[in-house]
Amino acid sequence: MNGSDYYIPAAALGLAFLSKLPGLVRRWRDPMVRSVAGLLLMAGAGFALAAPPTITVVNRAVGVPNVSAPLVYAINNVFNTFCIVLLAYWREGLGEDVQRRVRRWFAACGAVILLIAACFALGEAPVERLRDLDTHYASTPWIREMIVIYLSWHIVVGVVVPAMCWRWSRVVDGWLRAGLLTLVAGFTFSTAFGLAKAAAVITRWAGGDLDFLSTEVAPPLAGMGAVLTTTGFLLPQGRRMAAAWEAWQTYRWMGPLWRRLRTLMGLPATTTWWEPFGSRLLDRETDIHDDLLALSPYCDLQTMTACHDRALDDGVSPDDAWDVAAATMIALAIAAKESATGSGEESQETGTAALGAVLGTGTRGIARIARQYGALRHDTVAA
């Protein structure tokens, strides 16, 4: 793998972390939010610091040959720990028992990192190795122990976690099951990375040479494993992302009708962008609701019914025919109000009935009608 093979996934993971940063700032006390952010940060940092060009820069900056090795090992261990912690939060919530176990896992992770650092400090690795440190120093006292500790912890996590995920995936469904199965695949690749490295090291101890397992086979396995693992933890948020996309789509569809009604009523069509998105969506829906009620003397149920029937005759689906009919009636009502051709109480009553059918469709229904309104040729409707 060359530098770009590391930096491209590092950049993608960095962008994912930045997308979570606002939520982290707002909800930094939430252990789940902190864990997701920590996992993304560690995954991205692991790729960036494991790239050969970065290894060279770090070694030169610190002034110690191969100091990048224990640093990358430590980051990978923290990443694995965040994986275990997130799984616990998913399955068991944020109770005190889980928090105690989480503290123990992080304590174990810290102990492993201290052992790795101590072994590196006690050993001697004077020749910088960018790609084959594991096999080059496989028999060097203390450096050998550092490599064994790191790979052992990595393989243990890589075996235990996917087994947990597989058992859990059999009793859940939806986005969570998809995430768990993706985690199984991710940790399978991650375990294969550790086994490939271990096989190369053990072969060195036996006097053989399978270094290609460490330098050529293992890195792509690690890359695929990290990407799949991170994706697996993000997938269960797909339901929330889908809901957020639907809300944004609803808000955008309402735009043309909302702006037209605001202008018609002589009110400003401005948005307070600093408010939460949910508040902006509610405000836009409320404005449309109130402005449409003011159009009731100009609405005509018979016009909407006739338009609905024509749309059905033209082969439009029933749902779309309803939306087109309601949008056409609203467009005609706007044109009538502009020309001040409203009628009396009878028209008020029938218009209110027509609008009641429109407003009764709810937020998503109003958004679909607004979308059809934006697609109408208003000069043709007015004629």
Side-chain angles (χ1 to χ4, degrees), residues 181-378:
L181 292 178
T182 305
L183 284 173
V184 171
F187 275 101
T188 299
F189 276 100
S190 183
T191 304
F193 158 82
L195 292 174
K197 287 273 189 182
V201 169
I202 292 172
T203 301
R204 274 294 186 119
W205 294 346
D209 184 351
L210 291 178
D211 289 7
F212 76 94
L213 291 176
S214 179
T215 58
E216 303 297 332
V217 175
L221 293 173
M224 182 61 71
V227 170
L228 285 174
T229 301
T230 305
T231 302
F233 279 112
L234 294 178
L235 271 178
Q237 301 182 48
R239 185 183 295 107
R240 183 184 303 173
M241 294 172 64
W245 169 252
E246 182 174 330
W248 168 250
Q249 195 177 48
T250 299
Y251 181 82
R252 183 172 57 85
W253 285 354
M254 287 181 175
L257 179 59
W258 173 75
R259 286 187 288 271
R260 186 69 183 89
L261 290 172
R262 293 278 90 184
T263 302
L264 181 68
M265 302 300 168
L267 298 171
T270 56
T271 303
T272 51
W273 295 103
W274 57 86
E275 288 187 0
F277 179 74
S279 298
R280 300 204 305 270
L281 176 59
L282 180 60
D283 289 344
R284 180 165 286 190
E285 181 186 3
T286 302
D287 289 342
I288 291 176
H289 185 280
D290 294 343
D291 294 345
L292 284 177
L293 288 177
L295 285 179
S296 58
Y298 307 93
C299 293
D300 182 12
L301 184 58
Q302 291 182 348
T303 298
M304 186 169 67
T305 302
C307 183
H308 177 262
D309 293 340
R310 284 197 303 271
L312 289 177
D313 292 340
D314 292 338
V316 179
S317 69
D319 288 342
D320 288 344
W322 163 258
D323 296 340
V324 169
T328 302
M329 181 191 70
I330 291 170
L332 290 170
I334 290 173
K337 181 173 176 58
E338 286 182 322
S339 60
T341 58
S343 46
E345 289 187 6
E346 184 178 352
S347 178
Q348 174 80 36
E349 292 176 2
T350 59
T352 301
L355 280 177
V358 171
L359 298 176
T361 59
T363 303
R364 191 67 175 174
I366 293 174
R368 291 197 306 269
I369 293 168
R371 185 189 188 191
Q372 292 293 347
Y373 173 85
L376 288 175
R377 291 183 57 189
H378 298 285

Side-chain angles (χ1 to χ4, degrees), residues 115-133:
L115 285 173
I116 288 173
C119 289
F120 181 78
L122 292 170
E124 294 185 2
V127 180
E128 184 178 67
R129 310 299 298 189
L130 300 181
R131 297 177 181 275
D132 62 345
L133 181 139

Side-chain angles (χ1 to χ4, degrees), residues 20-169:
K20 298 293 181 183
L21 200 55
L24 178 63
V25 172
R26 290 194 305 269
R27 300 166 55 197
W28 67 274
R29 293 181 181 276
D30 188 331
M32 184 80 75
V33 173
R34 292 201 305 267
S35 297
V36 171
L39 181 141
L40 291 171
L41 181 62
M42 291 299 103
F47 272 109
L49 291 172
T54 308
I55 292 175
T56 300
V57 171
V58 172
N59 290 342
R60 300 292 188 274
V62 177
V64 177
N66 299 308
V67 73
S68 283
L71 178 60
V72 172
Y73 292 170
I75 288 174
N76 287 340
N77 278 321
V78 176
F79 171 78
N80 286 333
T81 304
F82 272 124
C83 292
I84 299 174
V85 167
L86 264 177
L87 279 173
Y89 286 155
W90 277 7
R91 186 162 189 173
E92 302 177 51
L94 305 175
E96 186 56 36
D97 290 342
V98 176
Q99 297 296 342
R100 279 196 295 269
R101 288 204 299 276
V102 165
R103 288 191 288 270
R104 288 198 292 268
W105 287 326
F106 275 117
C109 174
V112 171
I113 291 173
L114 287 176
L115 285 173
I116 288 173
C119 289
F120 181 78
L122 292 170
E124 294 185 2
V127 180
E128 184 178 67
R129 310 299 298 189
L130 300 181
R131 297 177 181 275
D132 62 345
L133 181 139
D134 310 84
T135 51
H136 184 81
Y137 290 107
S139 300
T140 302
W142 294 111
I143 303 298
R144 172 187 56 214
E145 283 73 14
M146 177 187 75
I147 295 168
V148 169
I149 291 170
Y150 164 64
L151 290 178
S152 299
W153 178 258
H154 187 86
I155 292 171
V156 167
V157 172
V159 171
V160 171
V161 173
M164 294 168 52
C165 292
W166 176 254
R167 287 197 300 270
W168 191 13
S169 71

